[in-house]
Amino acid sequence: MGGSDGDRATSGLDPEQSQAVLAPRGPVCVLAGAGTGKTRTITRRIAHLVSAGHVQSGQVLAVTFTARAAGEMRTRLRDLGVGGGPGQPPVQARTFHAAALRQLRYFWPRVVGGAPWEVLEGKLRLVGQAAQRAGAPTTRESLRDLASEIEWAKASLVPASDYAAAAGKAARDVPAPVEQVTAVYETYEALKNRAEVLDFDDLLLHTAAALEEHPEVAHEFHERYRCFVVDEFQDVTPAQHRLLRAWLGGRDDLTVVGDANQTIYSFAGASPSYLLEFPRVFPEATVVRLVRDYRSTPQVVSAANTVIGAARGRAAGSRLRLEGQRPPGPDPDFAEHDDEPAEAAAVAAAIRELVDDGVPPAEIAVLYRVNAQSEVYETALGDAGIAYQVRGGERFFQRTEVRTAIAALRTAASRAPEEATGAGMVTLVRAVLGEQGLTDEPPAGAAGQGAARQRWESLRALTELAEELVAAVPDADLAAFLAELQTRAQAQHPPTVQGVTLSSLHAAKGLEWDAVFLVGLTDGTLPIQHADGDDDAIEEERRLFYVGVTRARVHLRLSWALSRNAGGRRSRRRSRFLYGLVPEEHPAARVPTGRDNGGSRGKPACRVCGKPLPDAASAKLGRCSTHPSDIDETLLEALKVWRSAEAKSRSVPAYVVFTDATLIALAEQRPHDPSGLVAIPGIGSSKLERYGDDVLSLVREHAS
């Protein structure tokens, strides 16, 4: 390795990133926290291995979990000069399933014979037939649940014959009686094989089997691919890991990158164990930890560390504490609202302020736990005249205006002058798209909203893609641009379109924005209701919240509503994940007390009559002084004994633990959960964390 090559490979990288890039061939494990530049690091590593002569570009297979991530990796590798060229095959950067499909089609004539079976676009039709034969529910929602259960089983390498035992061991929340699910699974597999079709799970399983059972196939593959890189390794399923082992064939030229704190697909069979156990499986592995966060301000990083720092049972390899590298920014903002429409209206108003201050709409996102939450935000943004796009909605390259524009570009390519390369090609693209409705400025007024604005944004995004291509390939012509569009369409790698993004937290993984609004943060939504009672499921919900927080670069706003509908009963509680995160002095730090119809906004209310409490003493007790006390004397005495022991162990006066007034309030109100504790003035996040479990335990022991 020449020094100059090493210098080029690590230019602009920090010491840990450089260590990962320059690590010798062999097993490398990069534990990369959110925002620490993992994609930049691994693409630089690939480029270094190729440029230093350790491996040829065509011998590298890099895999990740989304077509968008694979497309971004290919773009970066192209910019680094290893994306393919004359006499140089490109690095293969694909999803697990895309790589398996390509390999299976190539080897099919040898391992099966005949033409390759077609791949199902979706399995609901066959699952519906199987469910009908098994007497299982056949509503669309039930079929989706059954399909998801089959996907979990196949991803976990569980055949239908073993499903019942495996589902019981994993404590699966099965969508139907386990015998019925088994019957649906068995019948679905039989119907699929009879029709000679494959589902996406089969791509992994059959490709692995072809390599495992056919030595000549394995030999040819192993001669072709020598070096492997796996991104998001914490999300690998047993089926994907089996395929990876078959790809390696006993070799160890493998680089994996991941963050166990971002494991959010356990329900689908993913396991962080492969990432966490990598140093044990490969004792000679180079292990690098990336903790310098270049994405987010120190304020956002601090919030993220607080969220994940409260997780229980974290494995040693997941204890990455991020270190913010950006200049300071605004503190995260917290807001409580009476109902969801009020919350959505407040979010839309805050977005309007950000846009007016110069934040591009495409750099703003509203993130929620479930897709059904998007409707109220679509309405609020529409009423505010703010363009938006729903992630997971209509795909960019399937939009009518995009397909029409590409068809016009194809026509123009057939008569394009030879000199239309580089800047000339961009000028030609602008002219063609101008005929399709692209103008220098977006449409104004009422006509500039909705479909008209989306059409303009789509055409402008195509122009920007042409400019990006020329920046990377200065002599690109219109044919090269059309090839780039086709590659992006196949990889589901759309350009950035102006408009606020509405997205579920799961779909937001791997993305980032200047401003992020995390909404609907109530218990029952985040964590989701069906996670209650399952510690592992609750911790996965916490990691999902952590993923949401770490999507923000500068502005982070967290909000929740106490009721779903306007004027509804305010019975919800803010998410338990917010305890310790909302500053004690913040107006949203206190859980409101009293009846829904009592009190004035922002003031503590009497828990008996609901009227606003006039002074600190009555606020502490949570009742007007005219109401009789309902104190539990036995509990009060137990609390005093506990306080005395706690004060002695800490060598502090008793009042530092809790004042007498706080103990009386505890013995009167007898809170049964953390939200009830912090509703008592004087008990903030720090005391909740230090004393909460002890106090709640005492209350439960003395419950009548």
Side-chain angles (χ1 to χ4, degrees):
M1 177 187 67
S4 59
D5 177 75
D7 292 342
R8 287 194 301 270
T10 59
S11 174
L13 301 186
D14 65 37
E16 294 79 22
Q17 293 171 336
S18 298
Q19 182 186 358
V21 169
L22 299 179
R25 283 187 63 180
V28 176
C29 178
V30 182
L31 300 173
T36 57
K38 67 180 180 66
T39 305
R40 185 185 192 198
T41 300
I42 58 175
T43 51
R44 287 282 196 98
R45 173 167 174 75
I46 292 170
H48 169 64
L49 290 173
V50 172
S51 62
H54 296 306
V55 67
Q56 297 178 22
S57 58
Q59 295 176 320
V60 180
L61 176 58
V63 290
T64 188
F65 283 79
T66 67
R68 183 186 183 95
E72 181 183 353
M73 194 178 293
R74 283 195 296 271
T75 299
R76 294 203 189 197
L77 288 168
R78 180 189 65 196
D79 293 345
L80 291 170
V82 290
Q88 181 193 45
V91 171
Q92 291 296 312
R94 300 177 178 272
T95 64
F96 267 103
H97 290 88
L101 174 60
R102 189 168 185 263
Q103 294 159 24
L104 190 60
R105 282 179 172 166
Y106 177 78
F107 290 119
W108 186 278
R110 272 184 277 173
V111 300
V112 179
W117 292 4
E118 293 296 318
V119 179
L120 284 170
E121 284 295 323
K123 56 170 63 72
L124 284 192
R125 184 179 63 83
L126 288 183
V127 171
Q129 294 177 17
Q132 192 170 26
R133 297 188 187 187
T138 56
T139 65
R140 189 166 186 83
E141 184 175 327
S142 297
L143 295 182
R144 284 176 178 161
D145 289 342
L146 288 166
S148 295
E149 201 63 12
I150 292 171
E151 289 167 2
W152 168 80
K154 297 181 77 167
S156 303
L157 301 177
V158 175
S161 57
D162 296 338
Y163 171 76
K169 183 177 180 181
R172 296 288 293 178
D173 184 13
V174 295
V178 69
E179 299 81 5
Q180 211 168 49
V181 178
T182 300
V184 172
Y185 185 3
E186 289 175 337
T187 306
Y188 165 77
E189 288 294 307
L191 290 171
K192 181 166 56 64
N193 292 336
R194 191 176 308 152
E196 295 190 346
V197 293
L198 304 172
D199 61 24
F200 281 100
D201 310 297
D202 291 329
L203 299 178
L204 307 179
L205 301 174
H206 286 294
T207 304
L211 295 168
E212 292 164 349
E213 299 170 9
H214 298 269
E216 73 285 0
V217 168
H219 176 75
E220 181 176 344
F221 179 87
H222 295 152
E223 283 293 305
R224 167 69 191 276
Y225 292 107
R226 304 291 184 89
C227 177
F228 301 86
V229 177
V230 184
D231 192 13
E232 304 287 3
F233 200 57
Q234 77 279 352
D235 288 330
V236 164
T237 67
Q240 290 164 337
H241 195 252
R242 175 187 169 187
L243 177 58
L244 178 60
R245 290 199 311 269
W247 283 344
L248 286 168
R251 298 168 296 174
D252 65 358
D253 197 348
L254 171 65
T255 298
V256 301
V257 188
D259 178 9
N261 290 331
Q262 297 188 66
T263 303
I264 59 173
Y265 295 106
S266 296
F267 64 89
S271 172
S273 62
Y274 301 118
L275 174 66
L276 297 174
E277 295 175 5
F278 192 90
R280 182 184 60 79
V281 176
F282 298 100
E284 70 281 16
T286 299
V287 179
V288 182
R289 288 173 170 79
L290 304 184
V291 296
R292 304 182 200 224
D293 187 321
Y294 299 96
R295 173 189 300 161
S296 307
T297 64
Q299 287 79 4
V300 173
V301 169
S302 177
N305 284 333
T306 299
V307 169
I308 203 63
R312 298 179 180 179
R314 295 171 73 196
S318 67
R319 295 173 189 161
L320 296 176
R321 184 172 180 82
L322 299 176
E323 300 172 2
Q325 304 296 302
R326 291 188 57 164
D331 288 329
D333 188 45
F334 303 86
E336 179 180 278
H337 302 277
D338 285 338
D339 50 65
E340 288 184 9
E343 182 183 11
V347 167
I351 289 174
R352 170 57 65 193
E353 289 183 9
L354 288 173
V355 172
D356 290 345
D357 286 343
V359 179
E363 289 297 343
I364 303 173
V366 179
L367 307 183
Y368 35 77
R369 175 61 178 85
V370 294
N371 287 320
Q373 293 172 267
S374 75
E375 183 178 358
V376 67
Y377 292 94
E378 293 179 51
T379 299
L381 291 172
D383 290 345
I386 299 171
Y388 66 86
Q389 55 181 332
V390 181
R391 184 162 173 78
E394 182 185 24
R395 292 178 178 174
F396 177 83
F397 288 103
Q398 293 301 313
R399 294 178 182 176
T400 300
E401 67 271 16
V402 173
R403 287 185 292 176
T404 301
I406 292 176
L409 289 170
R410 288 199 184 99
T411 300
S414 63
R415 56 175 186 268
E418 291 185 3
E419 62 271 17
T421 61
M425 184 269 285
V426 174
T427 300
L428 179 58
V429 168
R430 284 203 188 98
V432 173
L433 297 184
E435 296 174 359
Q436 302 298 313
L438 180 65
T439 55
D440 291 339
E441 298 294 330
Q449 305 302 327
R453 180 62 182 245
Q454 176 178 287
R455 176 184 180 83
W456 186 86
E457 294 286 2
S458 297
L459 296 176
R460 185 176 74 162
L462 289 173
T463 304
E464 290 175 347
L465 277 184
E467 293 170 348
E468 289 178 17
L469 178 62
V470 168
V473 185
D475 60 347
D477 58 10
L478 195 51
F481 179 53
L482 287 167
E484 171 73 4
L485 293 179
Q486 183 176 5
T487 299
R488 280 177 169 263
Q490 292 172 344
Q492 299 173 33
H493 183 204
T496 299
V497 178
Q498 286 299 325
V500 174
T501 298
L502 301 180
S503 173
S504 72
L505 286 164
H506 280 101
K509 177 81 182 303
L511 303 176
E512 58 187 77
W513 296 268
D514 282 346
V516 167
F517 291 77
L518 293 176
V519 300
L521 301 177
T522 59
D523 266 356
T525 302
L526 187 72
I528 199 77
Q529 186 172 8
H530 59 68
D532 251 341
D534 184 336
D535 289 345
D536 290 341
I538 290 293
E539 290 309 315
E540 180 132 336
E541 293 287 298
R542 189 191 309 277
R543 293 192 295 270
L544 188 58
F545 182 38
Y546 174 77
V547 165
V549 170
T550 56
R551 299 310 93 195
R553 298 192 191 105
V554 181
H555 305 279
L556 176 62
R557 305 198 182 192
L558 305 96
S559 62
W560 57 96
L562 301 179
S563 171
R564 178 177 182 181
N565 300 313
R569 184 171 180 271
R570 298 187 300 156
S571 57
R572 293 175 173 175
R573 295 188 184 276
R574 70 168 182 258
S575 171
R576 68 195 71 177
F577 300 148
L578 291 168
Y579 297 128
L581 189 61
V582 185
E584 289 188 39
E585 68 277 6
H586 196 284
R590 187 187 61 79
V591 176
T593 58
R595 299 175 181 174
D596 292 338
N597 62 349
S600 61
R601 192 79 179 134
K603 291 185 177 181
C606 176
R607 56 191 165 88
V608 179
C609 68
K611 294 180 180 179
L613 293 170
D615 52 46
S618 56
K620 177 79 75 173
L621 294 174
R623 61 174 173 80
C624 299
S625 59
T626 55
H627 296 303
S629 171
D630 56 350
I631 193 167
D632 184 329
E633 296 288 355
T634 306
L635 173 58
L636 178 60
E637 186 60 32
L639 286 167
K640 287 181 178 179
V641 171
W642 164 80
R643 180 183 66 174
S644 177
E646 186 68 25
K648 184 177 180 180
S649 69
R650 293 183 55 207
S651 300
V652 296
Y655 69 82
V656 172
V657 179
F658 281 134
T659 64
D660 287 344
T662 299
L663 293 189
I664 292 171
L666 287 168
E668 279 194 0
Q669 299 180 37
R670 299 182 284 281
H672 63 276
D673 60 14
S675 62
L677 281 178
V678 297
I680 298 173
I683 302 181
S685 59
S686 59
K687 289 195 175 184
L688 175 68
E689 184 175 353
R690 185 185 292 273
Y691 305 126
D693 289 344
D694 289 345
V695 172
L696 291 175
S697 179
L698 283 171
V699 172
R700 283 192 291 268
E701 288 176 13
H702 290 80
S704 57

